[in-house]
Amino acid sequence: MTKLSPLRSTIFLVLLAFALSCTDHDIPEKIELKTLPITSNPNGLKCSIVFSLNVVRTGSLPVKEYGVVYSAFGAGNGPVIENPTIENNLKVIFDLPASVGDKSKIGPQLCTNNINYRAYAILIDDSVVYGNMLNFHDN
């Protein structure tokens, strides 16, 4: 049996320490949202609608803001945008914290029959997660 030289022993111990110190880093999960169909406001106000979403999973990154972003004909923000974003369109902001389940909030009065909308969440790292796109179109 051969003896390890001091240099080889040191190299072996350093490599062993590196191998034992390596850990897997978990990739943080982001919130998962599902956009739900809009409904009429039950209080009967003309042109008043309720935006709804479902928080499917909260994830591990904290949410700074969440709600529904929309583009609507006649809402004062130009033509209807196919995929509205938080940077360029109107938002209905829901109350924090974001927890699993269905959420609803009364939006502004929108007397239109053409609205594109989707759920969104702004995370603590300023990234944005969007839910599925829906369109309200009444013929």
Side-chain angles (χ1 to χ4, degrees), residues 31-103:
I31 190 170
E32 182 181 344
L33 302 169
K34 180 179 180 187
T35 310
L36 300 176
I38 59 174
T39 58
S40 296
N41 187 342
N43 66 12
L45 287 177
K46 181 182 177 192
C47 302
S48 183
I49 58 175
V50 177
F51 287 97
S52 299
L53 59 84
N54 177 270
V55 177
V56 177
R57 180 183 70 234
T58 57
S60 58
L61 282 175
V63 174
K64 294 190 328 185
E65 177 182 301
Y66 80 112
V68 175
V69 59
Y70 66 93
S71 176
F73 178 76
N77 63 338
V80 178
I81 305 297
E82 187 173 329
N83 291 304
T85 63
I86 62 165
E87 294 84 15
N88 301 318
N89 297 106
L90 302 168
K91 301 184 290 186
V92 175
I93 301 170
F94 287 41
D95 296 329
L96 290 171
S99 57
V100 172
D102 290 354
K103 312 287 185 252

